[in-house]
């Protein structure tokens, strides 16, 4: 494990982006006695950024908040990039031009943690499957920490884990494109659908970023992939879920939808391949209750369930959500588009929806794509109006589903903030 992790290149370390993962890696490096400079293009008047700056400054991290930060390239020994920062950011370009190493936060965390890693990626189902694998470890009485793109930055675990704990880590395409030597002992790919094309530029580039999860594995590692003909060239031991005992075990899960059967099988196959007992895997499959913001049932009001699926930030995920419920669905969709084609939604909306309530920047684009569905399209503008209109229109037997098919950044900090606002609005109806 530790012997294949290269040492970090030298400092000073300039950490680019001071959201959750940037703050975590800056604090971890500073705790090791390193010189750390934290930079973000945001304004100091932004409350979350101001709090981040306060924490970092108190720890001895130099904080810079300005428009470009390019001058910091001259001071950097290594640039550590938060996943939300694109490769085209001026400071990243300046660092590469100077030959300065550029590492992602996940890469830094992996190099500094000697624990075994299980990494999970895919367009949809990452958070659920990552948490599910963690839950199965806990059911088996095994020490585990769940981290990565799910909310706890992997670098926040540095210096806090016992050596035999397993890190189960959700890995996004943004994180994986910044990896260099990253080699998890188990790597899981769930699926690939068009997503984040506004960032990656093409499906080919997006796919290449995802497949970096397998790039450095060796013959002692495990690569878990769908059993439907997905081809993978790797020296790792390939496990194809859906073809083994995990199928039978996944028949008793609590979570709705065929996609969760697939997620459960991926979690089971991974854990069985790593030597966790069949009984513990079966218990973990039966007792897992899901995660926040992913088909999360918030309330039932006058016979109408209200479902928070704020994490559905692409078309494929929203299609899965629509197919998870019977009856008449009142869909709340929209936000910031990601250069994806919304037209595949139309047939499912025609089949499943009583109405669609459109919010955010992509409203007009969504309306044009969904017009052939022949269902009422309500221009709500924001989530508050959408909830109020859906409440007025809904009848017993309906389901109100927030499943946006879009990113949240036009109106919210992230999908969690959008989901929490939805929760508050719905709880205010009761």
């Amino acid at each position: 494990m530790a012997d294949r992790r290269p040492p970090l290149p030298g400092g000073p370390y300039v950490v680019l982006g001071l959201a959750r993962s940037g703050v975590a890696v800056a604090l971890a490096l500073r705790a090791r006695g390193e010189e750390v400079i934290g930079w973000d293009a945001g304004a100091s008047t932004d409350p979350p950024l101001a709090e981040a700056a306060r924490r970092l400054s108190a720890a001895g991290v130099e904080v810079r908040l300005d428009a470009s930060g390019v001058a910091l390239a001259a001071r950097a020994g290594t640039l550590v990039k938060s996943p939300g920062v694109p490769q085209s950011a001026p400071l990243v370009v300046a660092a590469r031009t100077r030959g300065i190493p550029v590492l992602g936060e996940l890469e830094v965390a992996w190099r500094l943690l000697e624990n075994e890693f299980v990494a999970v990626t895919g367009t949809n189902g990452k958070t659920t499957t990552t948490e599910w694998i963690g839950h199965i470890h806990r059911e088996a009485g095994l020490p585990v920490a769940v981290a990565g793109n799910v909310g706890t930055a992997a670098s926040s675990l540095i210096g806090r884990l016992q050596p035999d704990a397993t890190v189960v880590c959700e890995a996004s395409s943004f994180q994986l494109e910044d990896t260099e030597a990253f080699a998890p002992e188990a790597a899981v790919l769930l699926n690939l659908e068009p997503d984040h094309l506004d960032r990656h530029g093409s499906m080919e580039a997006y796919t290449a970023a995802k497949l970096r999860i397998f790039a450095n594995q060796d013959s002692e590692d495990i690569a878990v992939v769908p059993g439907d003909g997905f081809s993978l060239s790797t020296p790792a031991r390939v496990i194809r879920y859906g073809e083994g005992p995990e199928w039978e075990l996944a028949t008793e899960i609590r979570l709705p939808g065929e996609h969760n059967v697939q997620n459960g099988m991926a979690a089971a196959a991974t854990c069985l391949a790593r030597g966790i007992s069949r009984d513990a895997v079966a218990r973990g499959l039966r007792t897992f209750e899901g995660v926040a913001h992913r088909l999360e049932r918030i309330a039932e009001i006058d016979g109408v369930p209200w479902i928070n699926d704020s994490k559905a930030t692409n078309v494929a995920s929203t299609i899965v959500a629509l197919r998870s419920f019977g009856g008449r669905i009142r869909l709340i969709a929209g936000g910031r588009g990601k250069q994806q084609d919304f037209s595949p939604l139309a047939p499912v909306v025609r089949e499943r929806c009583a109405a669609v309530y459109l919010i955010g920047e992509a409203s007009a684009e969504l309306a044009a794509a969904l017009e052939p569905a022949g269902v009422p399209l309500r221009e709500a503008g924001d989530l508050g109006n959408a909830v109020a209109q859906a409440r007025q229109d809904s009848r017993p037997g309906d389901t109100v589903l927030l499943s946006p098919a879009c990113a949240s950044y036009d109106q919210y900090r992230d999908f969690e903030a959008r989901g929490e606002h939805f929760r508050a609005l719905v709880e205010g109806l009761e």
Side-chain angles (χ1 to χ4, degrees):
M1 293 178 286
D3 58 355
R4 63 175 176 174
R5 286 166 161 82
L8 290 181
Y13 296 91
V14 174
V15 176
L16 193 57
L18 300 181
R20 184 163 41 203
S21 62
V23 169
V25 74
L27 291 174
L29 289 167
R30 182 64 191 138
R32 289 167 53 86
E34 304 289 355
E35 180 182 353
V36 183
I37 305 161
W39 175 86
D40 196 290
S44 59
T45 54
D46 177 62
L49 186 54
E51 173 60 20
R54 185 197 64 76
R55 287 183 63 201
L56 292 171
S57 296
V61 175
E62 179 185 341
V63 177
R64 295 284 301 275
L65 305 177
D66 57 44
S68 72
V70 170
L72 292 176
R75 298 178 58 189
T78 299
L79 191 71
V80 180
K81 188 171 85 60
S82 298
V85 177
Q87 299 285 350
S88 59
L91 181 49
V92 177
V93 174
R96 293 195 190 281
T97 300
R98 288 173 169 266
I100 295 167
V102 179
L103 300 179
E105 179 267 339
L106 177 61
E107 176 81 18
V108 172
W110 174 77
R111 292 194 189 192
L112 295 180
L113 287 164
E114 297 185 0
N115 304 72
E116 290 196 358
F117 266 63
V118 176
V120 180
T121 198
T123 305
N124 298 308
K126 296 186 298 297
T127 302
T128 297
T129 306
T130 300
E131 294 285 2
W132 215 333
I133 292 171
H135 178 73
I136 291 171
H137 277 71
R138 288 187 288 270
E139 285 291 322
L142 299 173
V144 66
V146 177
N149 198 45
V150 298
T152 299
S155 53
S156 69
L157 303 175
I158 296 168
R160 295 173 46 199
L161 293 184
Q162 57 197 81
D164 60 344
T166 297
V167 177
V168 184
C169 178
E170 177 183 347
S172 70
S173 61
F174 294 176
Q175 291 171 308
L176 289 168
E177 74 174 357
D178 291 333
T179 58
E180 185 176 283
F182 181 61
E185 281 72 20
V188 184
L189 174 68
L190 299 171
N191 44 60
L192 284 170
E193 300 282 352
D195 196 16
H196 298 302
L197 302 188
D198 55 335
R199 166 76 171 258
H200 294 290
S202 68
M203 186 63 186
E204 291 74 20
Y206 171 66
T207 299
K210 288 291 193 185
L211 294 183
R212 286 204 55 75
I213 199 169
F214 304 113
N216 302 305
Q217 288 190 296
D218 61 29
S219 59
E220 296 183 359
D221 299 324
I222 297 167
V224 182
V225 297
D228 56 1
F230 184 87
S231 61
L232 181 67
S233 177
T234 175
R237 179 161 64 100
V238 176
I239 306 295
R240 297 187 178 278
Y241 67 86
E243 297 182 348
E246 66 275 359
W247 171 256
E248 178 184 347
L249 294 176
T251 59
E252 298 182 23
I253 66 173
R254 296 184 181 184
L255 307 188
E258 172 59 29
H259 66 291
N260 276 320
V261 175
Q262 298 296 317
N263 295 337
M265 287 195 294
T270 303
C271 293
L272 289 170
R274 286 177 48 79
I276 296 179
S277 74
R278 181 185 175 93
D279 286 346
V281 171
R283 284 197 310 275
L285 290 176
R286 285 196 306 269
T287 58
F288 183 63
E289 296 183 350
V291 298
H293 312 300
R294 190 65 182 111
L295 295 180
E296 178 190 15
R297 189 184 181 100
I298 299 296
E300 181 171 322
I301 304 172
D302 297 334
V304 176
W306 291 72
I307 308 297
N308 171 20
D309 195 38
S310 182
K311 199 175 189 306
T313 60
N314 57 67
V315 167
S317 190
T318 295
I319 289 174
V320 164
L322 289 169
R323 288 177 172 161
S324 297
F325 300 96
R328 303 177 303 275
I329 296 173
R330 298 189 177 275
L331 173 66
I332 300 173
R336 176 164 293 171
K338 298 189 285 185
Q339 296 183 13
Q340 56 183 331
D341 179 8
F342 290 120
S343 62
L345 282 169
V348 191
V349 167
R350 179 189 304 116
E351 176 187 346
R352 298 294 178 109
C353 291
V356 180
Y357 305 83
L358 300 172
I359 62 174
E361 291 177 354
S363 291
E365 188 180 356
L366 267 168
L370 296 180
E371 186 177 2
V375 304
L377 303 176
R378 315 288 196 205
E379 179 60 58
D382 61 34
L383 196 51
N385 288 331
V387 167
Q389 291 178 24
R391 169 63 165 149
Q392 183 175 10
D393 295 344
S394 61
R395 301 291 180 268
D398 290 356
T399 297
V400 179
L401 171 66
L402 170 66
S403 190
C406 293
S408 60
Y409 305 124
D410 56 337
Q411 296 178 326
Y412 297 94
R413 180 181 68 253
D414 49 34
F415 74 84
E416 290 102 331
R418 179 171 60 190
E420 290 303 325
H421 187 207
F422 180 69
R423 183 197 308 277
L425 290 167
V426 173
E427 290 174 348
L429 300 175
E430 294 185 272

